[in-house]
Amino acid sequence: MAISISASKLFKLRLHSPIILRHLSTESNPPPSPSPSPPPPPPHQDQDSLVTRALQLLQAPDYDSNSNTTTPLQELLFSSSSPSSPFIFRNITRRLSSSSEALKFFHYLQSNSPSQDILPSLSSTFQAIFELASREPDSHNKLLELYGTAKEHNVPLTINAATLLIRCLGRAGMVDQVLVVVKEVDPSLKNTHFCNVVIDVLFRLGRVDDALKVLDEMLQPDSECPPNDSTGDIIFGAMLRREWRGRSINDEEIVGLVSKFGEHDVFPDTFKLTQLITKFCRNRKTGRAWDLLHDVMKSGGVVEAASCNALLTGLGKGGDIERMNKLTTEMKEMNIQPNVVTFGILINLMCKSRRVDEALEVFEKMKEGSDGVLVEPDAIMYNTLIDGLCKVGRQEEGLSLVEQMRSQNGCAPNIVTYNCLIDGFCKSGEIERAQELFDQINRESVFPNVITLNTLIDGMCRHGRINSAVEFLNDMQSKGVKGNAVTYAILIKAFCNVNNIDKAMEFFDQLSNSGCSPDAIVYYTLISGLSQAGRMDDASSVVSKLKEVGFCLDTVCYNVLIGGFCKKNKLDKAYETLKEMEEAGVKPDSVTYNTLISYLSKTGNFTTAHRVMRKMIKEGLTPTVVTYGALIHAYCLIGKIDEGMKIFRDMGSASKVPPNTVIYNILIDSLCKNDDVEHALSLMDDMKVKGVKPNITTYNAIFKGLRDKNLLEKAFELMDRMIEQACNPDYITMEVLTEWLSAVGETGKLKKFVQGYEVSASSA
DNA sequence: TTAGGGTTAG
């Protein structure tokens, strides 16, 4: 008792010392807490029996009596013959039934210890009390109270006890208390595990900046608590978290942190690195993704193909071929083996840019391993190539790849394969073959999906078989393949194209009632169809519906409406729409202005047209070839060809907008109609000089001009040129030439022309 | 890896 007083005196003396106020621990290298960890190897074999014996004595009636004589328990715990270890008391405490029992034992030790040396043991005893309390109900409040008791008795917390406390408080959401404990822990005790727990807890509580401050200290070059893989897991995991409390870690911070971690040889694993790169790429930040990957490479982290693939995908989407090449070279240099995905990305890119032959070349080399890497293609790769072939009209080659697929194990053609082929046949107008494939699917127990449905419906609609398309839709729906927004967009567009607006509206309503809501494209398609048809009231009511469901009009949609109002001679409504557009923050583009300029000039309002053009320039837009075309066309229409020619000369020289075929066509047509075919012919020469290719409209206009003046020889010359240029005649060409050449007895020339066309068509 | 996107001058 006397000694215990002196011990407490000692504590009191130290109470004023700032050092002891920090909860110093004497336990130098503690095992991780709170899981019950095996005690350090006992100095004496009888340590276990001592613990057992002590626990028995703690049940005895004289345990908490204030006896003046030395009790057996005191003898056991404090005598010099007892095995001494700071962990003995802790091990006894751990085996007590509750934290309150343990606290009682703590008080007993404090009161009965004959020596001051008990201090280190009391810290680890307290840790054991924390461990018990942490497993009891209401643990956070109990621990907080115990923390107060420890401070009161000047028992410094072990770092493990502090860790346990913080974790428990964090779980209970007690962010302020967490920060207090962190502040009060002796910095010299902090270890990496402690810091990891603090950071993890702070992140979960949304205190990102506090967490990053702790992390920043860990990342210093001379840090006492350098980051380890667990630190990396916590931070890299947090970077990828979608749901955030507090603020999120921004991209710049992510790159900086990964780089700093690299200095400590800690790297995100392949999965996390890949995810981070993907995240950057999705936000179109390929530059950051590039830096991230290269930081890891430079610091010596492991980089696998998956991470490179993520970056290659991002670079491909951004069209950064140069960096793609650089990265694939680096992969080779660093011995990072490309896989089927790597090749898939490259082949897909080539196919999408219509370089199918190059894609096939890479594919062959990959299969043979002739470039040192042998990779077996998968179904996705075959599908990519088949789609690429079909998109350039090479369906037959696509079909032969399907045969290759069949001969390779585990690579059977699937619904995607067939959808690509069906689309190919549909786009080339071979609807029957598309339907045959569709039937084949059903025989092969590959199940058609909504994409199959839409592809076929689109093909039928584009080739004038709307009724078959609707029939097919009904048939499929009865078999369980339901249409979606895409289906309806296709049908709405198709019915608008044939000017069956009522049917288009009907399908729109059907979609709205089918439980599958129309998306923005469906609205845009219908608004466009209605505007083209001049049904501006209907268009406006669809616009209202679109706004009601929360979609916005974009530039193109506003342009469609402005064009529609112009067509209906509702200039005021067009201007109103323009104003609304500007107020909604949707910037008018050159099409917006061109639409207005075209309407104004066609209605003879040239002054206003030029004023709008000046406004266009003031808004930072450059007049385009269409702007000039609109003005030229309008001047030509009222017979002011000179004015048109003036603009034509001006656009090429002063404005540096090179005229295109359409501009020449307008002028050539007008000159011919104005009896000036010579001038029109000189413009055709000019086209040749400028490298602007005439098309069938050009030829039709000039043929009419030549016919009116009966300039046969010139016509023959141009007919030859048409064949040379593989420019196909259309029904207008045939009508003009047949009538004219028959009348002048030159049917032989006509026959030769048609044959030449057939030859040029077959060679093309 | 597969399907629908609307606008301005001829």
Side-chain angles (χ1 to χ4, degrees):
Chain A
M1 192 70 173
I3 291 165
S4 81
I5 289 165
S6 74
S8 88
K9 261 187 189 164
L10 174 77
F11 287 144
K12 273 184 189 135
L13 272 172
R14 288 190 178 177
L15 193 68
H16 304 287
S17 144
I19 295 168
I20 195 71
L21 274 175
R22 300 222 126 119
H23 282 206
L24 251 171
S25 164
T26 41
E27 198 176 311
S28 57
N29 209 357
S33 162
S35 55
S37 45
H44 300 285
Q45 279 203 327
D46 52 357
Q47 205 195 67
D48 276 349
S49 61
L50 185 144
V51 171
T52 312
R53 176 80 187 122
L55 285 163
Q56 282 165 356
L57 288 169
L58 281 168
Q59 311 290 325
D62 64 340
Y63 159 46
D64 45 359
S65 69
N66 291 325
S67 165
N68 284 328
T69 55
T70 305
T71 64
L73 185 60
Q74 282 172 309
E75 176 73 23
L76 182 74
L77 294 175
F78 305 119
S79 85
S80 55
S81 66
S82 294
S84 63
S85 152
F87 301 117
I88 291 237
F89 298 152
R90 188 190 68 187
N91 293 347
I92 294 169
T93 313
R94 274 184 178 159
R95 288 174 61 180
L96 292 170
S97 60
S98 67
S99 62
S100 57
E101 280 299 310
L103 191 61
K104 215 163 100 187
F105 180 56
F106 163 78
H107 288 305
Y108 175 85
L109 289 176
Q110 205 187 29
S111 318
N112 293 280
S113 169
S115 146
Q116 301 169 11
D117 301 341
I118 197 169
L119 180 64
S121 306
L122 289 181
S123 279
S124 63
T125 302
F126 229 94
Q127 181 187 316
I129 304 175
F130 270 44
E131 288 166 16
L132 287 167
S134 73
R135 291 191 286 269
E136 292 169 2
D138 198 27
S139 57
H140 50 281
N141 285 326
K142 268 187 195 157
L143 281 175
L144 211 52
E145 204 176 302
L146 284 166
Y147 180 49
T149 311
K151 280 205 267 192
E152 211 176 283
H153 292 274
N154 268 304
V155 177
L157 288 196
T158 66
I159 194 65
N160 287 338
T163 309
L164 184 62
L165 178 61
I166 284 168
R167 191 168 257 156
C168 194
L169 293 174
R171 232 176 264 140
M174 300 165 92
V175 62
D176 294 329
Q177 287 84 342
V178 167
L179 290 169
V180 168
V181 176
V182 171
K183 206 169 153 196
E184 288 178 352
V185 169
D186 180 349
S188 71
L189 292 179
K190 289 181 182 173
N191 58 26
T192 297
H193 175 64
F194 171 80
C195 295
N196 288 349
V197 170
V198 170
I199 290 173
D200 191 31
V201 164
L202 290 174
F203 266 136
R204 285 175 200 282
L205 292 171
R207 300 298 285 254
V208 176
D209 288 307
D210 292 303
L212 290 181
K213 216 184 287 168
V214 177
L215 177 65
D216 191 54
E217 280 172 34
M218 296 177 83
L219 289 169
Q220 295 305 312
D222 52 350
S223 167
E224 300 278 326
C225 310
N228 59 16
D229 287 341
S230 302
T231 326
D233 282 344
I234 294 164
I235 300 295
F236 303 137
M239 288 172 178
L240 287 163
R241 212 169 289 154
R242 286 222 185 124
E243 305 265 317
W244 272 97
R245 294 185 63 184
R247 72 166 181 88
S248 59
I249 306 179
N250 67 43
D251 303 337
E252 208 175 340
E253 283 174 311
I254 292 179
V255 178
L257 284 172
V258 170
S259 166
K260 275 193 182 170
F261 267 101
E263 288 165 20
H264 292 268
D265 272 333
V266 177
F267 302 99
D269 59 36
T270 292
F271 184 72
K272 288 209 179 73
L273 179 61
T274 307
Q275 279 190 312
L276 282 168
I277 290 171
T278 306
K279 187 179 153 181
F280 281 148
C281 289
R282 285 211 181 115
N283 297 331
R284 293 189 188 161
K285 289 174 177 162
T286 45
R288 292 236 189 272
W290 179 274
D291 292 344
L292 185 68
L293 185 76
H294 283 79
D295 270 339
V296 175
M297 281 177 170
K298 276 179 219 146
S299 325
V302 176
V303 172
E304 289 177 77
S307 308
C308 298
N309 292 345
L311 183 53
L312 283 171
T313 304
L315 292 171
K317 283 204 179 112
D320 194 342
I321 311 293
E322 204 183 317
R323 278 189 158 181
M324 286 184 84
N325 283 329
K326 206 168 161 206
L327 182 56
T328 47
T329 310
E330 284 168 345
M331 285 174 77
K332 210 175 260 179
E333 284 165 1
M334 299 180 74
N335 221 5
I336 301 167
Q337 285 293 313
N339 58 21
V340 70
V341 178
T342 320
F343 282 103
I345 293 163
L346 301 176
I347 285 175
N348 188 26
L349 197 78
M350 290 172 197
C351 287
K352 290 287 176 296
S353 51
R354 308 189 134 228
R355 289 151 51 200
V356 191
D357 288 312
E358 280 173 69
L360 287 167
E361 206 176 295
V362 174
F363 176 70
E364 289 303 327
K365 281 186 182 164
M366 178 200 88
K367 272 198 308 181
E368 291 161 12
S370 55
D371 262 355
V373 192
L374 189 132
V375 174
E376 191 175 61
D378 59 4
I380 294 181
M381 186 167 284
Y382 276 108
N383 290 346
T384 306
L385 283 163
I386 290 166
D387 185 53
L389 285 165
C390 289
K391 288 275 188 300
V392 296
R394 291 159 63 175
Q395 293 78 248
E396 303 304 332
E397 285 169 77
L399 282 172
S400 64
L401 272 183
V402 174
E403 290 317 308
Q404 256 192 60
M405 281 179 93
R406 281 188 220 282
S407 65
Q408 190 182 311
N409 265 345
C411 215
N414 56 28
I415 189 59
V416 177
T417 321
Y418 288 111
N419 287 345
C420 295
L421 287 160
I422 288 173
D423 189 48
F425 284 119
C426 280
K427 294 265 156 70
S428 71
E430 296 168 84
I431 309 292
E432 278 75 21
R433 291 204 63 186
Q435 279 170 320
E436 274 165 31
L437 271 174
F438 178 77
D439 295 336
Q440 192 182 325
I441 292 175
N442 292 304
R443 285 197 301 273
E444 285 184 20
S445 47
V446 172
F447 297 102
N449 58 18
V450 69
I451 297 182
T452 325
L453 171 78
N454 292 339
T455 307
L456 270 164
I457 289 182
D458 188 52
M460 293 175 186
C461 288
R462 276 175 204 264
H463 293 90
R465 304 185 195 185
I466 307 187
N467 292 331
S468 313
V470 175
E471 230 169 78
F472 179 64
L473 171 65
N474 292 334
D475 186 40
M476 288 292 279
Q477 294 211 339
S478 69
K479 286 179 182 155
V481 182
K482 294 256 180 293
N484 60 11
V486 178
T487 323
Y488 290 91
I490 295 167
L491 289 167
I492 288 167
K493 189 189 163 191
F495 280 112
C496 286
N497 280 344
V498 296
N499 212 18
N500 192 343
I501 304 296
D502 294 334
K503 203 78 186 159
M505 295 279 264
E506 199 181 290
F507 271 104
F508 179 77
D509 292 334
Q510 198 179 316
L511 170 61
S512 307
N513 298 330
S514 73
C516 163
S517 46
D519 61 12
I521 293 179
V522 174
Y523 282 101
Y524 294 160
T525 307
L526 185 58
I527 291 167
S528 167
L530 292 169
S531 300
Q532 294 269 22
R535 290 174 58 162
M536 296 315 292
D537 290 341
D538 288 327
S540 301
S541 94
V542 177
V543 168
S544 306
K545 278 189 197 162
L546 169 146
K547 287 179 184 165
E548 260 168 50
V549 295
F551 291 121
C552 292
L553 295 182
D554 64 359
T555 307
V556 177
C557 204
Y558 276 116
N559 290 347
V560 165
L561 288 166
I562 290 170
F565 284 125
C566 285
K567 246 177 235 153
K568 295 297 280 182
N569 284 314
K570 291 186 172 170
L571 188 59
D572 50 341
K573 290 291 281 180
Y575 279 140
E576 207 178 282
T577 309
L578 176 69
K579 196 170 158 235
E580 186 198 311
M581 179 180 188
E582 285 171 323
E583 279 167 2
V586 180
K587 270 212 164 312
D589 63 3
S590 53
V591 176
T592 322
Y593 289 106
N594 290 345
T595 306
L596 287 164
I597 291 166
S598 169
Y599 173 74
L600 290 165
S601 46
K602 247 186 241 162
T603 50
N605 205 340
F606 286 100
T607 319
T608 319
H610 282 285
R611 198 168 62 222
V612 173
M613 191 165 152
R614 280 194 296 275
K615 187 188 175 204
M616 175 183 186
I617 294 166
K618 206 177 133 205
E619 295 290 334
L621 294 162
T622 321
T624 67
V625 68
V626 179
T627 322
Y628 294 111
L631 287 166
I632 292 170
H633 189 210
Y635 280 118
C636 286
L637 280 176
I638 55 164
K640 290 189 174 177
I641 303 182
D642 289 349
E643 199 64 36
M645 282 303 296
K646 208 177 133 220
I647 296 172
F648 167 74
R649 281 188 294 270
D650 183 64
M651 68 182 283
S653 55
S655 306
K656 298 276 179 292
V657 178
N660 61 10
T661 308
V662 177
I663 299 280
Y664 280 104
N665 290 352
I666 296 167
L667 287 166
I668 289 169
D669 187 50
S670 301
L671 287 166
C672 288
K673 283 177 180 155
N674 215 38
D675 216 23
D676 195 355
V677 73
E678 285 75 19
H679 197 169
L681 282 167
S682 80
L683 278 182
M684 278 204 81
D685 293 338
D686 193 45
M687 285 178 92
K688 208 172 188 178
V689 174
K690 302 257 171 65
V692 181
K693 218 175 144 191
N695 60 19
I696 192 58
T697 312
T698 329
Y699 285 110
N700 288 346
I702 201 92
F703 282 140
K704 282 181 198 164
L706 292 170
R707 176 199 58 193
D708 293 347
K709 293 224 162 157
N710 202 27
L711 293 169
L712 267 177
E713 286 308 314
K714 198 69 204 174
F716 294 154
E717 191 189 317
L718 288 176
M719 282 157 75
D720 288 341
R721 207 193 291 171
M722 264 184 86
I723 296 169
E724 253 169 61
Q725 292 174 333
C727 175
N728 299 343
D730 62 8
Y731 74 96
I732 299 175
T733 331
M734 294 317 295
E735 204 175 274
V736 173
L737 291 180
T738 309
E739 205 179 305
W740 179 23
L741 297 185
S742 307
V744 296
E746 288 284 359
T747 40
K749 287 275 184 197
L750 187 66
K751 210 170 165 190
K752 205 180 128 214
F753 174 68
V754 176
Q755 279 168 349
Y757 156 62
E758 275 164 1
V759 170
S760 85
S762 63
S763 67

